[in-house]
Amino acid sequence: MSEHLYLGQQLLDQFGSQCIKTQELERVPFEHDWRGRTAAKALAVAIPQTLEEVQALVRWCHHHDVNIVPQGGNTGLCGGSVPSPRIAHPQLILSLSRLKHIRQLDLDNDTLTVEAGCTLQEIQELAEQHDRLFPLSLASEGSCQIGGNLSTNAGGVQVLRYGSMRALTLGLEVVLPDGKLWNGLRGLRKDNTGYDLKQVFIGAEGTLGIITAATLKLFPQPLKQAVTWIALESPQNALQLFHALRAKLGEQISSFELIGRKPLALALKHIPGARDPLPEVHPWQVLVQIDGLDHSECADLLNALLTEQDLIRDALVAQNESQGKAMWALREHLSEAQRIEGPSLKHDISLPMSAIPTFIEQAQIKLEEAHPGISIVCFGHLGDGNLHYNIFPAEAVTTAQELEQREGERISRIILDLVAQLGGSFSAEHGVGQFKVAELARYRDPVELGLMRQLKAAWDPKGIMNPGKIFDLP
Ligand SMILES: Cc1cc2nc3c(=O)[nH]c(=O)nc-3n(C[C@H](O)[C@H](O)[C@H](O)COP(=O)(O)OP(=O)(O)OC[C@H]3O[C@@H](n4cnc5c(N)ncnc54)[C@H](O)[C@@H]3O)c2cc1C
């Protein structure tokens, strides 16, 4: 009997077929990443229903030296949630999707304690039922899970006002690589008692332990909200507009999304029912959400700005909720439209906000010089200094792998070297996973990388937690 078969049978005997899936048909959906860029065979998929079952599974893996790949909604974009094809040693996918209890809703403390497998949308809806807001918002919110959001420190479209998962979390519960439980589910906004361990697990992409529950912050629902679509000449104008609005509104701006012409054109081409909010074609647009203003107050503000500064080419303020939702739907379908168009090289980059116009200008010059005929799809969360900067090749290709092999390295190097030169990061909100391991080694300071490795070695000495992710294999 092969090692895989033997271990799979042992798992089945111990945990039962409700929890353990060893058949190919059952495993396959868990073994492929969302973009279809990587897949590898897992020993089995474990879908535990209780915290105790998670602990028992981890203890079993620790004892048998079996690697663990934690998986939430499998919407991650760096291949972190699926087994690595470079590892021969058995890898067990541990899906958190059945760990879905709501442990505590404390409205007087504005906190919600939930298990890791709740989807983001379920948490948003629960908060809303109690007249509260859980502000994390991503296009994948129907599928991604709180445990995955925490492990990738997810950002999304309201980071500007509320911060990413790091800022939205007060406590964590984690099963450690040897099966021990750390209960750090504290609902405290102030707690200066030594190291803040939860921050080490947030963004660790499942390489240090399994997050099983979290205490999240809730906020009041905004009483009024305006959504507006504004056309501009350039990213520089967008930055100026951002500061002009901030000067008037302070923290009330909850989203400030920059959208280039190309991604908008792809959404209009591929998404059924999509319509440009404005009648004319413009090179750049921003989608702005403002809390605490209604649509007429927002229109007055934009009119006042129009007379003060010559920044805006045209603008539409949503007159009602459904118009606002249509503007957001356009923004949220930008990634899907690119997927339909065909393979592209994706970059999720972070820059000081002040460097964004320079980056966009210089990157275009460098890329078009080196690779004539490419097209650049640029959009993102300008208010957070985060751009999604994707490249379609001059000649159509059929698979992402083909694109990467042909031009990927050279194109990405131009982009990421410029990002580094301007003080930015090669990954803003998507993490490192297995696709950006080489970038971490290339762009991170060796001292910082060394500290990260020491931490990993100390907390997971057997190296069983999600190997091949973040760091290269030993
Ligand atoms: C259409 C689309 C839009 C997106 N938009 C955004 C966006 O705006 N902002 C953004 O930040 N991201 C975005 N993403 C990326 C993705 O949705 C997020 O990274 C999300 O937080 C991942 O959650 P998940 O449950 O799917 O995690 P998975 O993909 O299952 O896992 C992601 C990583 O976390 C680890 N992990 C998962 N659960 C646990 C756990 N309980 N304990 C320990 N480790 C765990 C996995 O091993 C893996 O390394 C988008 C993705 C898609 C497909």
Side-chain angles (χ1 to χ4, degrees):
M1 201 189 252
S2 77
E3 188 192 15
H4 263 71
L5 276 178
Y6 170 74
L7 289 168
Q9 192 55 51
Q10 280 223 341
L11 274 168
L12 266 174
D13 292 346
Q14 193 159 335
F15 296 95
S17 60
Q18 267 291 320
C19 174
I20 303 296
K21 311 292 172 191
T22 53
Q23 298 302 311
E24 189 172 351
L25 269 180
E26 301 170 308
R27 287 191 336 259
V28 163
F30 296 86
E31 291 174 339
H32 292 255
D33 77 308
W34 187 81
R35 280 194 185 139
R37 280 182 66 191
T38 185
K41 189 172 172 224
L43 167 66
V45 179
I47 319 181
Q49 214 154 6
T50 62
L51 173 62
E52 292 69 29
E53 225 176 351
V54 176
Q55 281 188 270
L57 278 160
V58 175
R59 273 196 293 268
W60 185 92
C61 289
H62 188 256
H63 180 73
H64 291 88
D65 287 334
V66 166
N67 297 313
I68 302 173
V69 182
Q71 190 176 99
N74 198 13
T75 67
L77 298 173
C78 294
S81 54
V82 292
S84 164
R86 297 175 57 225
I87 294 180
H89 212 62
Q91 301 175 73
L92 176 73
I93 296 176
L94 201 155
S95 163
L96 279 301
S97 54
R98 284 188 186 147
L99 222 65
K100 286 175 83 82
H101 285 107
I102 305 301
R103 300 256 188 102
Q104 194 195 18
L105 174 65
D106 184 347
L107 290 176
D108 286 337
N109 195 37
D110 271 332
T111 50
L112 177 57
T113 300
V114 298
E115 291 188 346
C118 296
T119 66
L120 174 55
Q121 191 174 333
E122 286 163 350
I123 298 309
Q124 293 166 338
E125 286 170 1
L126 181 66
E128 199 178 338
Q129 282 159 24
H130 294 275
D131 211 17
R132 298 289 194 281
L133 173 75
F134 183 64
L136 187 76
S137 175
L138 324 176
S140 54
E141 61 204 21
S143 311
C144 65
Q145 299 172 10
I146 291 300
N149 297 150
L150 283 157
S151 302
T152 55
N153 183 29
V157 293
Q158 300 200 89
V159 170
L160 184 57
R161 176 153 199 195
Y162 297 99
S164 59
M165 271 311 258
R166 284 193 194 287
L168 299 174
T169 308
L170 295 177
L172 281 191
E173 177 187 85
V174 181
V175 174
L176 303 174
D178 60 1
K180 259 196 233 100
L181 187 71
W182 171 52
N183 184 340
L185 288 175
R186 294 186 280 266
L188 304 176
R189 284 169 177 79
K190 286 190 170 182
D191 181 17
N192 283 354
T193 48
Y195 301 134
D196 189 354
L197 297 184
K198 68 177 179 297
Q199 294 299 353
V200 183
F201 290 103
I202 298 175
E205 301 183 56
T207 60
L208 295 175
I210 295 178
I211 297 174
T212 46
T215 299
L216 306 172
K217 279 189 205 170
L218 299 177
F219 296 81
Q221 286 278 351
L223 295 176
K224 294 188 270 187
Q225 202 166 54
V227 179
T228 173
W229 186 275
I230 303 172
L232 302 149
E233 189 61 43
S234 66
Q236 182 62 43
N237 285 0
L239 188 61
Q240 284 170 273
L241 176 68
F242 175 74
H243 287 296
L245 287 173
R246 279 277 265 208
K248 291 188 188 298
L249 296 164
E251 298 302 312
Q252 279 173 268
I253 308 173
S254 48
S255 304
F256 195 94
E257 300 286 303
L258 179 73
I259 304 168
R261 186 70 219 170
K262 179 75 183 175
L264 178 59
L266 290 180
L268 298 175
K269 176 176 164 192
H270 291 298
I271 304 300
R275 280 188 45 231
D276 192 334
L278 298 172
E280 311 268 329
V281 171
H282 300 280
W284 292 94
Q285 23 274 308
V286 287
L287 173 60
V288 187
Q289 183 168 283
I290 301 168
D291 295 344
L293 292 190
D294 62 24
H295 69 270
S296 66
E297 290 165 331
C298 180
D300 291 346
L301 178 81
L302 292 182
N303 280 328
L305 265 181
L306 266 173
T307 53
E308 283 168 28
Q309 307 188 37
D310 185 21
L311 288 175
I312 298 174
R313 284 169 65 124
D314 197 0
L316 179 72
V317 179
Q319 296 299 300
N320 50 45
E321 208 182 319
S322 71
Q323 234 179 39
K325 278 190 176 157
M327 289 179 186
W328 269 116
L330 208 47
R331 164 65 184 87
E332 275 157 10
H333 280 108
L334 297 180
S335 298
E336 178 62 7
Q338 287 165 67
R339 199 180 60 78
I340 299 169
E341 178 75 3
S344 63
L345 282 170
K346 308 247 184 326
H347 306 90
D348 160 47
I349 56 181
S350 183
L351 287 154
M353 234 195 293
S354 50
I356 283 190
T358 310
F359 170 81
I360 291 176
E361 194 188 315
Q362 287 189 10
Q364 183 172 355
I365 295 170
K366 284 173 192 273
L367 286 166
E368 286 179 351
E369 201 178 280
H371 301 271
I374 55 155
S375 53
I376 298 170
V377 172
C378 176
F379 64 103
H381 319 290
L382 182 101
D384 313 329
N386 175 194
L387 291 180
H388 300 303
Y389 196 81
N390 305 333
I391 308 295
F392 282 91
E395 287 166 43
V397 287
T398 47
T399 64
Q401 284 83 352
E402 188 191 339
L403 175 61
E404 260 153 48
Q405 276 160 15
R406 230 174 51 185
E407 299 177 276
E409 167 62 23
R410 280 176 296 138
I411 291 180
S412 294
R413 203 53 55 224
I414 292 175
I415 296 168
L416 299 183
D417 281 355
L418 182 59
V419 168
Q421 229 175 312
L422 294 169
S425 164
F426 66 87
S427 180
E429 58 181 9
H430 294 167
V432 178
Q434 48 178 306
F435 301 152
K436 298 185 186 167
V437 167
E439 310 299 359
L440 189 79
R442 178 188 279 261
Y443 291 111
R444 270 294 169 106
D445 169 57
V447 174
E448 196 174 354
L449 208 55
L451 287 172
M452 288 197 229
R453 281 189 186 283
Q454 281 176 20
L455 188 71
K456 166 79 177 168
W459 288 18
D460 177 22
K462 285 191 159 192
I464 61 168
M465 289 306 307
N466 221 359
K469 319 293 164 58
I470 300 187
F471 309 106
D472 209 350
L473 300 172

